[in-house]
Amino acid sequence: MLKLNSHSSKFSGNPNRISEKRTQSLNSKGLSLTHLSNDIFRNNNEEGSAPSRNSLTSPESVPSIKPISANDLHKVYLVGICGSGMKALAEYLAGCQCEVIGSDLTKPQTSLKCFQDKGIRIQFGHHIDEFPEQVDCLVYSGAVDENNLERQHAKKLGIPQYSYSQMLGCLMAGKTGVSISGTHGKSTTTAMTATILKKTSLSPSAIIGAQLKKSGTSGWAGSGDLFIAESCEYQRSFLNLKPKFAAILGIETDHFDCFENLEEIKKAFSEFSAQVSPDGVLLVNNQCPASLDAVKSTSAKIETFSCDSDSDWWAADIRKTDQGHRFRVFYQGEYFTEIDLRIPGEHNISNALAAAAISFHAGATKTEIREGLRNFKGIQRRYEHVGSWRGVTLIDDYAHHPTAVRKTLETARTEFSQRRIWCVFQPHQTSRTRALMDEFASSFGQADQILIAPVFAAREENPDDAILASQELSDKISLQSVDSHYSPSLDHILLTLEDEARPGDVIITMGAGNIDQVYHELIRRIQRNYQTGRTDGASHLVKNRGASSDVRRTA
């Protein structure tokens, strides 16, 4: 068994990738990542632990869901402000001229720049030394429990406290809500919908769980009545929302620390469906039986979408383009418009179709829908081309579910049909990894080289189990005739890539944790070691593939 050493990147067991001599050589040159070390793959539980299964985080002191106007909030304190949803909320509140102050344990550079530009103040660590004397309320992320020092201090001061999803519910209650839900595609479809509607005269507000590539923003305040929010099923948090327009993109088993099986997840989506306004519209994936079952409880008008002509909204005449796909949209049997989608991935056709349908019901014209989707550049960490070095293409993706892993690698294989693809995968949560072990093992078939990092054990406290789960996953992938290896640390991954990646290769970092730091560190290390900087421009196809197991299979 490979054992993690907390003081270096060396490991015991079979060193099938990097020799001890090579590691020592690089460390002697000052190239050890001591500032990141192996902690990059550990969960930091200072933020709190998960609630018990099937429970909502609703302490007795939490206010009920009542309309709140952000214009009436003068100063708000956000605990866990650097989380994706919390960042978007901070941007929205700042756009409403509210003074926003927050705290977090992490220091993501992209968030810091955004906060600085918008006048949002942040402190690192959870302590009360700089806690403001007067705030209207405190909002905390789902990872922050009631034992947090700042929450305890706010309780003593009698400051109202809201969870992130409760605050979303209160803000949406005073607006016309637009909610995008589903196991996959929420962030992209919410971003598409917000991008379309932002170009209209409706001037919507938006809360997106990822940053737009073009602007780097994830939330904003509009002057209109529409309030668009990504709506997540985790901890049943979307039950705090009562939208007029909603979409369910699909339902699969996930979040095993909250839901025991698919039936429990369907029940949560059924409860969410029942909260859509009776005079509203609920859009549902016509190719997902679980979604169709879940919407039976709604009083809203139901419309279906898919690539099949028996749906209310359907995509047809799909053609691949250099940048994405072009397709025609039909609505209730009639031609609606043609979409030129300029982001890769067949799965994004479905996301764009849902965004078009929701945007139309929310008030967008056909022209506005067409132009909005044509100008949509995607969101960060969703098959994002992040650069290249030494002729190697670097891509970063958020995929952490077998379905998403498979679709991402299929997209890569379509784009890079004859090139060697590396997938550097960081599983997210041990419970998910073990519950979907076989599904994960069979989802990497389009990659040539797999490196599996220790599980990013968010909300879980057993680091040994996280290591064992990743080792088991790597072994099972290898049984699928795919070259897979467990990597015990960030150092080890980087050394492997430096030694073995070659011009023409494609490296995809993948996962919902902090695996995206690999490409940042890779570029920094290459700049320092080779003094060539980050190289852009055309990559070179590998001419001599050799006869080893990493040769790309050809049909």
Side-chain angles (χ1 to χ4, degrees), residues 320 344-347 383 402-417 421 442-447 508 510:
K320 190 178 182 307
E346 290 186 1
H347 55 285
Y383 198 73
T403 299
V405 170
R406 185 176 64 255
K407 289 183 180 295
T408 299
L409 291 175
E410 287 173 353
T411 300
R413 181 52 62 199
T414 298
E415 183 176 1
F416 304 106
S417 60
I421 295 176
S442 62
S443 64
F444 292 89
Q446 293 300 323
I508 305 175
M510 186 182 294

Side-chain angles (χ1 to χ4, degrees), residues 340-504:
D340 178 16
L341 188 62
R342 300 185 177 186
I343 57 174
E346 290 186 1
H347 55 285
N348 281 317
I349 297 172
S350 178
N351 293 336
L353 186 60
I358 286 291
S359 297
F360 177 71
H361 287 297
T365 67
K366 297 178 183 180
T367 299
E368 289 165 341
I369 291 169
R370 185 169 58 249
E371 291 302 308
L373 288 173
R374 186 175 68 85
N375 293 323
F376 181 70
K377 305 301 182 184
I379 55 178
Q380 295 179 13
R381 300 221 62 218
R382 302 309 188 276
Y383 198 73
E384 181 182 10
H385 285 248
V386 292
S388 64
W389 61 273
R390 298 190 297 182
V392 176
T393 299
L394 304 177
I395 296 173
D396 185 47
D397 195 87
Y398 187 73
H400 56 284
H401 185 281
T403 299
V405 170
R406 185 176 64 255
K407 289 183 180 295
T408 299
L409 291 175
E410 287 173 353
T411 300
R413 181 52 62 199
T414 298
E415 183 176 1
F416 304 106
S417 60
Q418 295 300 312
R419 290 165 66 177
R420 186 171 67 160
I421 295 176
W422 293 75
C423 180
V424 182
F425 181 63
Q426 180 187 44
H428 191 263
Q429 291 194 292
T430 305
S431 57
R432 177 188 286 118
T433 306
R434 291 204 175 281
L436 299 175
M437 182 70 73
D438 291 339
E439 291 87 345
F440 270 119
S442 62
S443 64
F444 292 89
Q446 293 300 323
D448 301 294
Q449 297 283 311
I450 316 293
L451 299 179
I452 302 295
V455 173
F456 185 85
R459 305 180 292 270
E460 297 170 326
E461 300 182 358
N462 188 341
D464 291 336
D465 196 29
I467 294 169
L468 292 172
S470 286
Q471 290 175 330
E472 182 180 347
L473 175 58
S474 181
D475 291 341
K476 284 184 175 289
I477 293 171
S478 295
L479 294 176
Q480 304 287 328
S481 299
V482 180
D483 196 0
S484 177
H485 298 272
Y486 169 71
S487 293
S489 70
L490 174 61
D491 279 298
H492 192 267
I493 286 174
L494 290 168
L495 292 171
T496 298
L497 296 176
E498 278 196 296
D499 268 7
E500 301 194 20
R502 56 188 187 236

Side-chain angles (χ1 to χ4, degrees), residues 196-236:
I196 292 168
L197 292 171
K198 191 176 184 181
K199 297 299 183 181
T200 71
S201 61
L202 299 171
S203 188
S205 299
I207 305 289
I208 307 166
Q211 298 181 75
L212 295 173
K213 285 183 183 177
K214 196 171 183 179
S215 65
T217 60
S218 51
W220 61 82
S223 59
D225 189 53
L226 288 176
F227 187 90
I228 306 163
E230 180 176 338
S231 308
C232 185
E233 71 275 17
Y234 180 66
Q235 296 182 11
R236 297 173 174 79

Side-chain angles (χ1 to χ4, degrees), residues 26-172:
L26 287 176
N27 285 345
S28 69
K29 298 176 183 179
L31 298 177
S32 179
L33 302 181
T34 54
H35 62 293
L36 293 174
S37 189
N38 297 309
D39 291 336
I40 188 171
F41 297 130
R42 295 179 184 168
N43 175 44
N44 192 328
N45 286 299
E46 293 179 45
E47 289 281 16
S49 57
S52 60
R53 177 177 285 165
N54 298 331
S55 68
L56 286 170
T57 51
S58 53
E60 294 180 1
S61 60
V62 170
S64 59
I65 304 300
K66 296 179 180 179
I68 291 179
S69 172
N71 294 322
D72 295 331
L73 296 174
H74 303 291
K75 184 183 292 187
V76 177
Y77 194 88
L78 274 59
V79 185
I81 193 172
C82 291
S84 56
M86 292 286 281
K87 173 185 175 292
L89 176 62
E91 291 180 270
Y92 167 77
L93 293 172
C96 293
Q97 307 306 310
C98 175
E99 183 180 354
V100 181
I101 308 168
S103 65
D104 210 297
L105 296 175
T106 61
K107 301 180 181 182
Q109 294 303 312
T110 54
S111 295
L112 297 183
K113 179 66 166 60
C114 169
F115 292 153
Q116 183 179 18
D117 292 344
K118 297 180 183 299
I120 297 170
R121 290 189 287 148
I122 180 172
Q123 68 173 13
F124 298 104
H126 297 309
H127 48 80
I128 61 175
D129 297 344
E130 299 180 32
F131 196 92
E133 293 184 3
Q134 293 183 334
V135 294
D136 295 312
C137 64
L138 178 149
V139 182
Y140 56 93
S141 79
V144 178
D145 67 19
E146 58 188 349
N147 296 317
N148 172 270
L149 289 178
E150 292 158 304
R151 289 193 61 189
Q152 289 291 321
H153 186 64
K155 183 177 180 180
K156 291 178 182 178
L157 297 177
I159 297 171
Q161 298 186 40
Y162 298 83
S163 71
Y164 164 73
S165 61
Q166 287 165 344
M167 177 54 72
L168 280 192
C170 290
L171 294 170
M172 182 179 285

